[in-house]
Amino acid sequence: MQDQAQRLRELYQRFNGREQKPAAEAAIKARDGAASETAISARREITPITDAVPQHEKATKVISVTSGKGGVGKSNFALNFALSLSESGQKVVLIDFDIGMANLEILLGMTPRHHLIDMVKEKKTIWDVLEKGPNGLELISGGSGFEGILDLSHDNADYLFAELGRLQGYADIILFDTGAGLSKESQRCHLAADEIILVTTPEPTAITDAYSVIKILHNQDASLNVRLVVNRVVNSKEGIEIAGRVRTVTRRFLNKEIEILGFMPNDSLVFQSVLEQTPFYLNYPKSQAAKWMKDMVNIYLHGDAGKCQGATGIKGFIQKMSQFVVKK
């Protein structure tokens, strides 16, 4: 009988209309049950970053993660996607841009020493607020009371962007976990990013809201690169069906093609990990959710999606974001 990973690979290839490159196949087969570090040793493994900026700058991709509505598992996806990317050899910085919610802190069971707001208000450096988590992941917590990031003073805006700019070349991928829906801040973040990952579920309201996000952003920039993830599916067949609906509607009414990044199962161990405040990717590495995530990341990294061609990185992100900020 075909294993689930092979079935997923075939579905992704067929749905996105291309064959997977040999390198991707080799990478996916090579994983073959490799054990992740245990959640017990990883939990609350948060320490400040003190390393100096690397001498040789490398390409950096900025990804904005969003959803049409709350409650679809967006932050949980962003965290575990980042952990899997990091385990695969990518240097990842995850930034909680859902300001005031602290979802990533809760999912990790951690208490950061500093937040993004501290960097602006207390003039701390990016290295002061950048913290190290499990699997080599590095993250910045948003903190609370920072609702008006687009209404900063001239000095604060300049300082924020200058410090964020120091991440260019430091990381392979910078992931912004934004708020659900389209707030002023999150909308500008999506428009400035190299690509957008949109998380939805099979629920009709989630699908409708996901399409609304695509439509609003498309009307502002038709060239945006959007990738869809369908979370909490019963099986891969349901994932294909839901993704197909969204893709058909966007093609018909917006004349826009969106990529399908993948699907995540409705795995009870995901919910259990949320209660335990430890990522399922570490807590239950043999779970269906962890295996599907690992396959998704392998396919992503070894396909065209994982490349950085055309990516403007954090510097391009800052340049675009600075155009939206009302400096006082």
Side-chain angles (χ1 to χ4, degrees):
M1 181 182 293
Q2 283 186 315
D3 66 0
Q4 183 65 53
Q6 178 63 28
R7 176 63 176 157
L8 279 173
R9 288 193 292 271
E10 292 176 355
L11 288 170
Y12 294 163
Q13 292 165 19
R14 185 182 69 189
F15 200 94
N16 285 318
R18 61 176 182 275
E19 292 298 320
Q20 202 58 230
K21 296 182 179 180
E25 289 295 322
I28 294 170
K29 291 178 181 178
R31 71 168 176 81
D32 200 20
S36 301
E37 60 181 292
T38 63
I40 295 176
S41 63
R43 188 171 181 174
R44 294 181 176 83
E45 183 190 332
I46 307 295
T47 56
I49 299 297
T50 56
D51 298 340
V53 181
Q55 297 292 321
H56 304 290
E57 186 174 290
K58 55 186 173 184
T60 300
K61 176 184 281 190
V62 176
I63 303 174
S64 181
V65 183
T66 189
S67 60
K69 65 185 291 290
V72 301
K74 169 190 59 65
S75 293
N76 205 12
F77 169 84
L79 172 59
N80 287 276
F81 185 67
L83 287 168
S84 186
L85 285 169
S86 185
E87 185 183 71
S88 299
Q90 299 293 298
K91 190 170 185 63
V92 182
V93 173
L94 177 60
I95 301 178
D96 191 345
F97 219 57
D98 193 356
I99 307 299
M101 299 303 293
N103 287 334
L104 294 178
E105 297 176 26
I106 296 170
L107 291 171
L108 277 166
M110 61 168 277
T111 303
R113 300 194 345 165
H114 301 295
H115 301 83
L116 191 63
I117 186 174
D118 297 327
M119 188 175 74
V120 175
K121 289 188 173 182
E122 301 176 20
K123 293 298 183 286
K124 294 188 178 296
T125 70
I126 192 73
W127 315 117
D128 291 330
V129 301
L130 188 63
E131 304 196 54
K132 184 175 292 184
N135 264 27
L137 176 66
E138 298 175 13
L139 60 141
I140 299 175
S141 178
S144 59
F146 198 27
E147 312 299 341
I149 193 171
L150 298 185
D151 298 309
L152 294 172
S153 69
H154 185 282
D155 289 342
N156 283 342
D158 285 346
Y159 186 81
L160 170 65
F161 292 142
E163 288 301 310
L164 286 176
R166 298 172 73 179
L167 293 176
Q168 180 71 18
Y170 179 77
D172 296 304
I173 296 174
I174 298 174
L175 275 173
F176 283 92
D177 177 33
T178 69
L182 287 177
S183 67
K184 182 171 61 176
E185 281 78 15
S186 66
Q187 188 169 343
R188 300 314 185 192
C189 183
H190 306 326
L191 293 171
D194 293 315
E195 68 181 47
I196 302 162
I197 294 178
L198 177 61
V199 182
T200 189
T201 68
E203 297 177 18
T205 53
I207 297 171
T208 301
D209 290 344
Y211 171 73
S212 295
V213 167
I214 298 172
K215 180 179 179 180
I216 292 171
L217 293 176
H218 175 76
N219 287 339
Q220 296 179 72
D221 185 353
S223 67
L224 287 176
N225 187 0
V226 180
R227 303 186 189 280
L228 184 69
V229 172
V230 185
N231 194 22
R232 298 174 186 162
V233 298
V234 175
N235 50 42
S236 53
K237 181 179 178 181
E238 183 181 43
I240 286 287
E241 179 184 350
I242 299 302
R245 287 189 211 168
V246 178
R247 206 177 197 190
T248 298
V249 171
T250 55
R251 183 186 293 127
R252 178 179 178 184
F253 295 105
L254 303 178
N255 193 29
K256 180 178 181 61
E257 293 292 336
I258 61 171
E259 286 282 336
I260 308 305
L261 179 56
F263 325 112
M264 289 299 297
N266 189 18
D267 190 336
S268 61
L269 292 178
V270 173
F271 179 69
Q272 184 63 33
S273 287
V274 172
L275 296 179
E276 295 169 357
Q277 292 184 271
T278 309
F280 68 79
Y281 194 77
L282 303 180
N283 209 17
Y284 299 103
K286 295 183 180 180
S287 66
Q288 186 183 32
K291 291 177 181 178
W292 281 30
M293 179 65 77
K294 181 169 291 205
D295 282 322
M296 185 190 301
V297 166
N298 276 322
I299 293 170
Y300 175 80
L301 289 178
H302 293 89
D304 293 336
K307 304 286 188 291
C308 282
Q309 290 93 334
T312 59
I314 193 67
K315 289 183 178 178
F317 175 86
I318 290 168
Q319 184 177 17
K320 294 173 186 175
M321 282 289 286
S322 64
Q323 297 173 3
F324 303 131
V325 173
V326 180
K327 297 182 180 179
K328 299 177 181 178

